């Protein structure tokens, strides 16, 4: 195995006893358990991990956490590949494969870097100006997009289906603690001791937060973790990012349960999406180190100072031998001592000139050089930093004065202070306030159920974090009504440097000539430089939100975790306003990128939503029916008689058979509502346009409902079972909506009516028996009941029994044939169907599906979904005769609006093709036989079929002045298919308009 | 996700409910034949910034219509009462 040049012989939290190999850009990299991909790359001396988004500049690992702007890799291969993976959070595992996302032919030699030479031609707003300006409405963008997207290098989405599974968990707790650093652990302990059920969620593999990057404090950490873990009311979730805080104290978490292996074990999900409903929460999310901006601050080797500490103490990696630490706060001093002890030559360049004596004496003892009152102006080096230029600080705005000095180095650690991670708090619609002492945006206490603690609330040291965390835990528990005694918690014993004493915030370092060097990058991920921000300001983009969109500063996968504050400090400078006046951009979920798979979980393919099945479904499946999705239902479309029979042949055969003999169709999905109570008839009179109080017991009536705005809502047939009980049927698709509306009316405006409505859709199976032999079949099946035309006229019902099971037989016809609907208790639906098929065999009974049912109803001119589209009135559908003039009903006033009474409104007609061999496409627009085809025409086609009875193609449509145009030839134009079909306008009913057959 | 304290079922997720529109409008009597009151009821809505009352249907729960006080600015949820009671109060 190859050497790991930067790996120290001792120290860190990795397991040196185990060694494995991973592959990065086709190179073998040695790693240990406990490594991240980034720590392994740094240990192996890999400097360049990617090329920048716009200028293809070489970039190296910058951070050791989720804020990483540079080290984005394409993780894994094939169907499991994942773009934009942060090398700093990807746990190393044996066999891990990752590649840089940009750079051609390689990241080390990227020909795309030539773009950098043209940098001045690609300023902020380049794309808007180029592709929306002069080339607007041309195909130029389409042409260029392909090449630009390739050049940008943002990784490749997998093309194959994801072979892994994902889970969704609904969880509840009293206190959710986000983050398990010193503050979060303390908060979890306090809340749990007070008796609250706690979920402690940590994005890292290990608990401890910043303590993991230190060499001291382990005793405290171990004791605290042990106690938290021992409490039965605490659930600890590691590798779990709380990415969103939502209304109602609901939080979105994603647990990377098995992301640290190539292939999850059998039956284990790769990730879990947790929806946590918390009575209260503690946000202990810490703070992210802010870079300093100076010339060439993007070269590989320029890193966050706290990352250098993390790589040293957690991973046993010394990133450089000659290290410059550039800072304006105290936090790097402990790091400097540790790096020096590990063997590096360390120079601190501190912009502050009056350093506390205590810091000076510590650095002297650790043999660390300090240049106080100096700033790094520029870096040197081609593919990695080899030296820096420093100059004396002049003023507080980042200015410097000559002479400059050059210091050789291989790593520059930068710390401009820290930015509290207040995303979750801000996602709840709050704007943070800028604290001019702490030089940071901070949350306030305005959300009683979300208590902020630790560094994200402005705590400067670990001691502060522990005390604020413990107090926050108790406070959050109290907010959830747990006020038990939490006792006390002593902080760890460690020398603790904060970042706030005498800290300064500058936007960028200026060279002695007063200018910000050209290659001073604010946003590393999107290559945003000072000149871009200046241009945006000059062109009037002076709000932070505009600045973000125009320059792309703070966009992309890292969402500006390292870049935002510096960029808005620069904008504030340009505007001449203080930072609080400029404000910050809006934080939105997710905090870090979340895979779609995790959110979708099992809800893919057939599991996207529940599939509703009729109680007779098993019979259809056994018969080999071809099913079709109809709303949430899976219904038999047709029953192929041979494997080769297509749907066209199948439905024509089935429809023909119904008109010739007898067929069964499963209409169980119809909506069914029991309407009961002394005022049931009055209620139906109000909701239906026609009268129901006059309906006799034992009879059925077709009814139409309007919406309050006067348009047709739904139709169906309702039976009067007794004086006070009706059995309503609705269309399948509107079953839920009708039920909700009836409940609404009864619970609000009409609560004085004594009526109970109950959905009984699932309690009844319904079989329509249709065809000239239907009575013969039913009579043979039901025996005792008298189903003769005299005893059971059309639109009446009778009670009977099939195989001893009581059923209700409604005589009504949708097909136009002599027909019945048999209502059977759902659990006997299957056996009743089978019995009808058995008894019907001598009569030639055959099942038919939804396609034939549709063909039969179109032949009869009955309206259905295509016509009841929410835009049609009674008049439009030739149903005006169902509007009672003797009573008021819902929609009766607004249906009379003049615009709805307009005689030129398209109304229902039949259409028959002149050439019997061509079909009509539903949705075709209708135009007169001659003239231009322009505009929306005179109407459109709503339903189409081949008519077995007429031997040609027919349709229903809505045509302006339709009833006056019978016999006229019109054109049906299908703009999508580009075809025109000539048709004759007919009455909507094509077959047996007198109803002789159904009244037989 | 909003959460409502249903008077029947207790605190429940928004996903169990369907939105039912403005609860401050009053439905005209069924016998009302004038055009204006119906036009106002069906089409005219205020768009308040701040506290608002709206109908929600606990359709995947107890099937009760409720009136929810919701702040359109902050999404803070106030009282949730049965529509049956709220509408009676509206009228009186």
């Amino acid at each position: 195995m190859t050497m790991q040049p930067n790996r120290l012989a001792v120290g860190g939290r990795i397991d040196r006893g185990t060694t494995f190999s991973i592959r990065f850009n086709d190179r073998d990299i040695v790693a240990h358990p406990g490594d991240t991909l980034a720590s392994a790359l740094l240990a192996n001396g890999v400097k360049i991990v990617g090329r920048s988004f716009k200028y293809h500049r070489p970039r190296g690992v910058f951070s050791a956490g989720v804020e990483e702007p540079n080290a984005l890799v394409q993780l894994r291969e094939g169907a499991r590949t994942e773009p934009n993976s942060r090398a700093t959070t990807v746990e190393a595992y044996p066999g891990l494969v990752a590649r840089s996302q940009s750079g051609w032919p390689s990241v080390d030699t990227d020909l795309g870097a030539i773009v950098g030479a043209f940098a001045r031609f690609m300023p902020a707003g380049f794309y808007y100006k180029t592709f929306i300006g002069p080339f607007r409405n041309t195909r130029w963008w389409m042409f260029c997009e392909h090449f630009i997207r390739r050049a940008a290098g943002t990784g490749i989405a997998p093309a194959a289906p994801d072979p892994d599974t994902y889970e969704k968990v609904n969880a509840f707790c009293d206190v959710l603690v986000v983050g398990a650093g010193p503050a979060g652990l303390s908060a979890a302990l306090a809340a749990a001791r007070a008796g609250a059920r706690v979920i402690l969620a940590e994005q890292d593999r290990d608990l401890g937060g910043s303590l993991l990057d230190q060499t001291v404090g382990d005793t405290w950490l171990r004791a605290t973790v042990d106690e938290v873990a021992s409490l039965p009311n605490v659930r600890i979730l590691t590798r779990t990012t709380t990415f969103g805080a939502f209304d109602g104290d609901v939080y979105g978490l994603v647990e990377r349960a098995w992301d640290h292996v190539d292939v999850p074990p059998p039956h284990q999900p790769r990730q879990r999406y947790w929806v946590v409903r918390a009575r209260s929460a503690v946000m202990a999310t810490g703070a992210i180190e802010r870079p300093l901006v100076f010339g060439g601050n993007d070269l590989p080797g320029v890193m966050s100072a706290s990352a250098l500490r993390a790589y040293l103490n957690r991973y046993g990696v010394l990133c450089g031998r000659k290290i410059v630490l550039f800072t304006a706060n105290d936090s790097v001093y402990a790091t400097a001592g540790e790096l020096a002890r590990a063997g590096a030559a360390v120079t601190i360049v501190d912009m502050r000139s009056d350093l506390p004596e205590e810091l000076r004496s510590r650095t002297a003892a650790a043999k660390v050089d300090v240049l106080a009152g100096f700033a790094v102006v520029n870096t040197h080096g081609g593919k990695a930093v080899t030296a820096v230029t420093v100059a004396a600080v002049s003023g507080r705005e980042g200015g410097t004065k000559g002479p400059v000095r050059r210091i050789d180095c291989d790593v520059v650690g930068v710390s401009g202070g820290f930015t509290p991670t207040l995303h979750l708090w801000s996602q709840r619609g709050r704007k943070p306030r800028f604290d001019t002492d702490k030089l940071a945006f901070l949350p306030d206490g305005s959300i009683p159920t979300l208590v902020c603690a630790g560094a994200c609330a402005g705590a400067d040291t670990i001691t502060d974090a522990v005390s604020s965390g413990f107090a926050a835990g108790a406070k959050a528990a109290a907010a959830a009504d747990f006020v038990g005694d939490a006792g006390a918690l002593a902080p760890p014993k460690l020398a603790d440097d904060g970042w706030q004493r005498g800290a300064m915030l500058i936007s960028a370092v200026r060279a002695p000539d007063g200018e910000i060097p050209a290659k001073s990058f604010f946003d590393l991920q999107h290559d945003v430089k000072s000149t871009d921000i200046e241009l945006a300001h000059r062109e009037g983009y002076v709000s932070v939100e505009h600045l973000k969109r125009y320059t792309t500063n703070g966009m992309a996968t890292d969402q500006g975790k390292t870049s935002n504050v510096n960029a808005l400090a620069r904008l504030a400078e340009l505007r001449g306003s203080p930072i609080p006046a400029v404000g910050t951009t809006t934080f939105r979920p997710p905090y870090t990128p979340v895979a779609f798979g995790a959110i979708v979980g099992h809800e893919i393919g057939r599991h996207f939503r529940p599939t509703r099945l009729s109680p007779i479904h098993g019979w259809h499946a056994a018969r080999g029916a071809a099913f079709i999705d109809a709303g949430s239902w899976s219904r038999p479309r047709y029953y192929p008689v041979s494997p080769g029979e297509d749907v066209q042949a199948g439905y024509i055969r089935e429809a023909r058979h119904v008109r010739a003999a007898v067929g069964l169709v499963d209409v169980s999905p119809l909506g069914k509502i029991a309407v009961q109570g002394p005022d049931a008839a009055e209620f139906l009179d109000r909701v239906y346009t026609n009268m129901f109080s006059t309906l006799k017991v034992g009879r059925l009536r077709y009814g139409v409902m309007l919406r309050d705005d006067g348009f047709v809502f739904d139709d169906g047939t309702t039976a009067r079972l007794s004086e006070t009980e009706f059995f309503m049927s609705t269309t399948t698709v509107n079953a839920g909506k009708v039920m909700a509306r009836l409940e609404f009316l009864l619970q609000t405006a009409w609560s004085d009516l004594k009526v109970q409505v109950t959905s009984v859709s699932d309690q009844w199976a319904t079989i329509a028996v249709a065809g000239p032999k239907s009575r013969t079949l039913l009579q043979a099946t039901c025996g005792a009941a008298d189903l003769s035309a005299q005893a059971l006229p059309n639109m009446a019902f009778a009670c009977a029994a099939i195989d001893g099971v009581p059923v209700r037989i409604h005589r009504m016809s949708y097909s136009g044939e002599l027909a019945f609907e048999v209502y059977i208790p759902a659990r006997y639906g299957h056996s009743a169907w089978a019995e009808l098929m058995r008894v019907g065999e001598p009569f030639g009974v055959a099942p038919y599906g939804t396609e034939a049912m549709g063909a039969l109803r179109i032949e009869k001119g009955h309206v259905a979904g295509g016509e009841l589209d929410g835009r049609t009135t009674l008049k439009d559908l030739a149903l005006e005769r169902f509007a009672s003039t003797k009573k008021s009903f819902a929609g009766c006033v607004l249906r009379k609006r003049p615009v709805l009474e307009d005689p030129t409104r398209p109304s229902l007609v039949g259409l028959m093709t002149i050439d019997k061999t061509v079909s009509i496409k539903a949705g075709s627009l209708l135009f007169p036989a001659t003239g231009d085809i322009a505009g929306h025409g005179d109407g459109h086609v709503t339903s189409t079929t081949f008519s077995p009875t007429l031997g040609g193609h027919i349709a229903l449509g809505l045509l302006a002045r339709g009833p006056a145009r019978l016999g006229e030839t019109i054109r049906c134009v299908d703009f999508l298919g580009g075809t025109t079909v000539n048709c004759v306008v007919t009455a909507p009913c094509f077959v047996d308009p007198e109803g002789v057959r159904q009244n037989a | 996700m909003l959460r409502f304290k249903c008077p029947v079922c207790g605190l429940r997720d928004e996903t169990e409910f369907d939105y039912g529109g403005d609860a401050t409008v009053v439905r005209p009597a069924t016998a009302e034949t004038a055009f204006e009151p119906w036009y106002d009821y069906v089409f005219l809505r205020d768009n308040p910034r701040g506290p608002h009352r709206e109908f929600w249907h606990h359709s995947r729960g107890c099937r009760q219509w409720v009136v929810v006080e919701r702040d359109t600015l902050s999404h803070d949820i106030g009282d949730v009462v049965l529509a049956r009671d709220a509408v009676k109060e509206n009228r009186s």
Side-chain angles (χ1 to χ4, degrees):
Chain A
M1 282 231 168
T2 42
M3 294 284 294
Q4 302 181 63
N6 291 338
R7 185 83 73 181
L8 298 173
V10 291
R13 301 172 194 273
I14 47 159
D15 172 13
R16 278 189 188 71
T18 309
T19 297
F20 55 79
S21 179
I22 62 181
R23 278 184 84 72
F24 179 71
N25 288 343
D26 302 320
R27 178 183 157 187
D28 282 325
I29 301 286
V30 184
H32 302 295
D35 262 327
T36 62
L37 173 56
S39 70
L41 292 174
L42 290 166
N44 285 263
V46 176
K47 287 262 182 190
I48 302 177
V49 294
R51 287 278 171 162
S52 73
F53 184 70
K54 202 160 146 189
Y55 304 124
H56 293 245
R57 289 170 64 85
R59 293 283 163 83
V61 173
F62 179 80
S63 74
V66 297
E67 69 270 32
E68 178 61 31
N70 288 344
L72 302 182
V73 300
Q74 185 86 30
L75 182 64
R76 297 186 285 267
E77 295 179 303
R80 288 192 168 87
T81 191
E82 192 176 334
N84 300 325
S85 301
R86 296 173 302 277
T88 49
T89 61
V90 170
E91 293 178 36
Y93 57 80
L96 180 149
V97 179
R99 311 190 71 86
S100 298
Q101 301 195 143
S102 52
W104 183 84
S106 76
V107 282
D108 292 321
T109 316
D110 181 3
L111 293 179
I114 198 149
V115 172
F118 299 98
R120 67 194 181 89
F121 300 115
M122 289 179 68
F126 170 76
Y127 294 110
Y128 293 124
K129 285 170 181 161
T130 310
F131 296 104
I132 295 179
F135 296 101
R136 199 194 178 98
N137 296 332
T138 68
R139 297 191 68 80
W140 179 239
W141 163 249
M142 307 282 212
F143 176 75
C144 296
E145 186 184 16
H146 173 70
F147 299 100
I148 289 168
R149 296 240 185 266
R150 256 176 74 119
T154 46
I156 300 161
D162 192 332
D164 297 323
T165 57
Y166 299 81
E167 279 180 2
K168 187 168 171 179
V169 185
N170 284 295
F172 297 80
C173 66
D174 299 315
V175 178
L176 168 69
V177 179
V178 182
L185 284 169
S186 308
L189 193 59
R193 281 185 187 168
R197 290 172 307 157
V198 174
I199 291 179
L200 173 62
E202 167 56 51
Q203 64 188 2
D204 201 283
R205 186 194 61 170
D206 300 316
L207 304 181
S210 61
L211 285 175
L212 296 171
D213 302 339
Q214 309 216 2
T215 50
V216 288
D218 275 11
T219 315
W220 182 92
L221 179 58
R222 237 188 333 269
T224 311
V225 167
D226 284 351
E227 185 182 346
V228 170
S230 73
L231 296 172
N233 51 334
V234 180
R235 166 176 235 157
I236 297 173
L237 297 173
T238 54
R239 296 179 170 123
T240 304
T241 303
T242 306
F243 65 81
F246 305 98
D247 293 320
D249 298 304
V250 175
Y251 294 84
L253 284 59
V254 65
E255 179 189 4
R256 290 168 298 279
W258 289 99
D259 239 359
H260 54 288
V261 295
D262 192 30
V263 177
H267 314 299
Q268 292 297 318
R270 178 170 286 281
Q271 298 186 357
R272 259 184 216 108
Y273 171 35
W274 291 74
V275 180
V276 176
R277 293 139 186 96
R279 295 176 70 186
S280 68
V282 175
M283 183 174 87
T285 44
I288 289 171
E289 192 160 47
R290 189 167 61 237
L292 286 160
V293 179
F294 48 92
N297 62 331
D298 66 325
L299 266 187
V302 179
M303 296 173 70
S304 150
S306 58
L308 294 179
R309 193 179 199 189
Y311 288 117
L312 176 69
N313 293 327
R314 188 169 178 187
Y315 302 104
V317 175
L318 184 59
C319 293
R321 294 297 178 276
K322 293 169 81 174
I323 298 175
V324 167
L325 293 176
F326 179 27
T327 190
N329 67 75
D330 291 358
S331 71
V332 305
Y333 284 79
T335 310
E338 289 163 2
L339 291 168
R341 271 195 298 281
V346 182
T347 304
I348 293 177
V349 177
D350 195 325
M351 294 186 73
R352 303 169 299 175
S353 41
D354 45 347
L355 290 182
E357 189 45 45
E358 171 248 342
L359 286 184
R360 287 186 181 278
S361 56
R362 267 166 60 191
T363 47
K367 296 194 169 54
V368 169
D369 291 335
V370 180
L371 289 171
F374 278 80
V376 172
V377 178
N378 243 315
T379 59
H380 302 276
K383 288 178 178 171
V385 65
T386 55
V388 291
T389 299
V390 302
V393 170
S394 167
R396 284 207 41 107
E397 311 292 289
T400 59
K401 55 181 187 273
V404 297
R405 280 170 59 177
R406 190 181 161 114
I407 304 173
D408 287 342
C409 61
D410 52 5
V411 160
V412 182
V414 291
S415 177
F418 283 77
T419 301
T421 304
L422 39 78
H423 296 64
L424 295 174
W425 178 84
S426 186
Q427 284 170 16
R428 294 284 300 269
R430 301 304 199 276
K431 283 281 181 195
R433 117 198 113 77
F434 190 79
D435 186 309
T436 46
D437 291 332
K438 301 187 174 201
L439 297 177
F441 284 99
L442 291 176
D444 61 32
S446 64
I447 310 175
T449 51
L450 180 55
V451 189
C452 306
C456 75
D460 192 24
T461 62
I462 286 173
T463 312
D464 290 352
V466 167
S467 58
S468 91
F470 199 73
K475 195 173 167 191
D481 302 327
F482 290 88
V483 290
D485 182 15
L489 178 67
K493 291 186 180 62
L494 40 78
D496 216 2
D497 290 324
W499 46 276
Q500 288 164 6
R501 178 173 61 176
M504 53 200 291
L505 169 58
I506 57 140
S507 67
V509 176
R510 292 165 184 276
D513 66 4
E515 299 295 321
I516 296 173
K519 293 193 167 58
S520 298
F521 286 88
F522 279 79
D523 191 302
L524 294 173
Q525 185 159 132
H526 258 178
D527 274 356
V528 179
K529 300 180 297 182
S530 184
T531 47
D532 297 315
I533 297 171
E534 288 155 27
L535 180 73
H537 174 259
R538 212 159 50 236
E539 296 187 349
Y541 296 93
V542 292
S543 120
V544 283
E545 300 287 358
H546 289 159
L547 179 77
K548 174 175 177 176
R549 274 80 190 172
Y550 199 60
T551 62
T552 70
N553 192 98
M555 285 169 59
T557 61
D558 65 343
Q559 286 288 299
K561 290 185 176 64
T562 54
S563 67
N564 277 349
V565 173
N566 286 331
L568 62 90
R570 179 72 187 125
L571 180 65
E573 223 164 63
L574 290 164
R575 274 174 50 174
S577 334
I579 291 177
V582 172
T584 183
T585 49
T586 308
F587 294 85
R588 295 189 180 86
Y591 168 60
T592 48
V594 176
F596 282 120
I599 292 173
V600 170
H602 287 297
E603 290 157 21
I604 52 170
R606 293 302 298 181
H607 298 292
F608 178 63
R609 61 177 181 191
T611 303
R612 300 183 72 182
L613 301 176
S614 136
I616 312 171
H617 182 84
W619 190 95
H620 308 314
R623 176 68 170 233
F627 290 95
I628 187 168
D629 290 334
S632 54
W633 293 87
S634 178
R635 304 185 66 177
R637 191 180 189 193
Y638 73 111
Y639 302 80
V641 287
S642 63
E645 190 187 44
D646 65 10
V647 59
Q648 183 79 8
Y651 86 75
I652 293 170
R653 170 184 51 73
E654 289 174 359
R656 224 174 237 142
H657 185 81
V658 171
R659 297 236 183 273
V662 58
L664 301 186
V665 61
D666 182 358
V667 291
S668 302
L670 281 176
K672 295 167 280 270
I673 299 171
V675 182
Q676 297 158 306
D679 295 324
E682 163 69 16
F683 176 59
L684 293 183
D685 278 350
R686 294 188 192 183
V687 297
Y688 278 125
T689 62
N690 47 338
M691 199 73 94
F692 275 78
S693 50
T694 54
L695 182 65
K696 290 192 175 64
V697 173
R699 305 298 294 235
L700 314 171
R701 186 164 286 171
Y702 172 76
V704 187
M705 293 180 198
L706 305 187
R707 298 192 308 236
D708 290 326
D709 64 2
F711 287 95
V712 173
F713 173 39
D714 198 53
D715 70 346
T717 302
T718 288
R720 188 164 201 169
L721 305 185
S722 76
E723 279 302 315
T724 57
E725 184 172 7
F726 291 82
F727 184 91
M728 173 190 283
S729 73
T730 74
T731 62
T732 299
V733 64
N734 282 331
K737 278 190 242 170
V738 170
M739 184 66 194
R741 178 167 159 81
L742 298 185
E743 287 170 329
F744 177 75
L745 292 167
L746 287 171
Q747 291 175 29
T748 59
W750 301 346
S751 61
D752 53 325
L753 291 184
K754 291 190 174 65
V755 179
Q756 176 69 43
V757 289
T758 311
S759 169
V760 292
S761 297
D762 290 334
Q763 278 65 38
W764 295 93
T766 313
I767 303 168
V769 184
K773 294 185 191 165
S774 56
R775 181 184 286 128
T776 319
L777 165 56
L778 274 178
Q779 195 68 71
T781 313
C782 299
D786 181 1
L787 305 178
S788 66
Q790 296 71 33
L792 186 60
N794 201 23
M795 300 306 271
F797 69 83
C799 292
I802 294 179
D803 222 6
V805 176
V807 301
R808 207 170 54 234
I809 298 175
H810 295 199
R811 180 169 169 199
M812 52 178 286
S813 179
Y814 193 52
S815 57
E817 294 304 314
L818 174 65
F820 304 83
E821 279 182 1
V822 186
Y823 287 83
I824 309 131
R827 70 171 67 173
Y828 298 103
H830 188 131
S831 58
W833 176 285
E835 179 68 0
L836 284 164
M837 288 301 298
R838 188 185 65 78
V839 175
E841 206 178 344
F843 313 111
V845 70
Y848 65 102
T850 55
E851 209 70 33
M853 184 173 74
L856 295 166
R857 74 97 188 163
I858 293 169
E859 284 186 335
K860 282 297 289 179
H862 290 313
V863 294
E867 294 76 34
L868 302 174
D869 67 352
R871 299 177 296 179
T872 46
T873 65
L874 287 174
K875 267 209 176 80
D876 298 343
L877 300 176
L879 296 172
E880 184 71 13
R881 66 185 185 282
F882 290 101
S884 169
T885 53
K886 300 195 183 83
K887 56 151 188 154
S888 296
F889 52 87
C892 70
V893 175
L894 293 184
R895 84 183 188 92
K896 295 283 193 186
R897 280 181 281 164
V899 67
L900 301 185
E901 298 269 279
D902 181 353
T904 64
R905 276 181 68 83
S907 49
L908 189 70
V909 292
L911 299 165
M912 198 185 307
T913 60
I914 291 171
D915 176 350
K916 292 203 167 196
T917 63
V918 296
S919 61
I920 314 169
K921 277 271 183 295
S924 297
L925 296 191
L926 304 177
F927 291 91
T930 56
D932 285 344
I933 290 178
H936 293 130
D938 288 349
H940 72 280
V941 174
T942 52
S943 307
T944 66
T945 187
F946 177 81
S947 165
T949 310
L950 302 176
H953 292 271
I954 59 169
L956 297 177
L958 296 163
L959 177 67
R961 299 176 308 278
R965 296 170 74 172
L966 300 187
E968 184 181 325
T969 298
I970 56 153
R971 289 173 292 173
C972 303
V973 183
D974 169 24
F975 286 92
L976 292 178
T979 59
T980 298
V981 177
N982 288 315
C983 288
V984 176
V985 180
T986 71
C989 184
F990 295 87
V991 172
D992 185 26
E994 296 79 25
V996 175
R997 299 171 73 90
Q998 70 192 38
N999 291 319
Chain B
M1 177 160 56
L2 299 176
R3 305 189 76 208
F4 306 126
K5 199 168 269 175
C6 171
V8 180
C9 310
L11 191 63
R12 295 301 180 100
D13 287 354
E14 175 191 344
T15 49
E16 291 185 11
F17 294 80
D18 288 318
Y19 178 67
D22 192 336
T24 64
V25 293
V26 178
R27 184 183 179 87
T30 308
E32 176 63 65
T33 54
F35 178 77
E36 284 299 326
W38 281 105
Y39 178 80
D40 287 357
Y41 169 68
V42 172
F43 295 111
L44 295 189
R45 294 289 181 274
D46 293 331
N47 186 17
R49 182 181 191 269
H52 190 41
R53 298 197 311 139
E54 50 200 25
F55 286 119
W56 289 78
H57 188 204
H58 199 188
S59 48
R60 284 162 286 281
C62 60
R63 299 291 300 183
Q64 292 301 301
W65 282 88
V66 294
V67 173
V68 174
E69 277 182 15
R70 182 177 68 93
D71 190 305
T72 60
L73 196 63
S74 65
H75 267 194
D76 288 339
I77 303 297
D79 277 354
V80 181
V81 296
L82 289 176
R84 191 184 297 279
D85 302 333
V87 171
K88 267 186 201 141
E89 222 161 81
N90 243 7
R91 293 234 160 121
S92 57

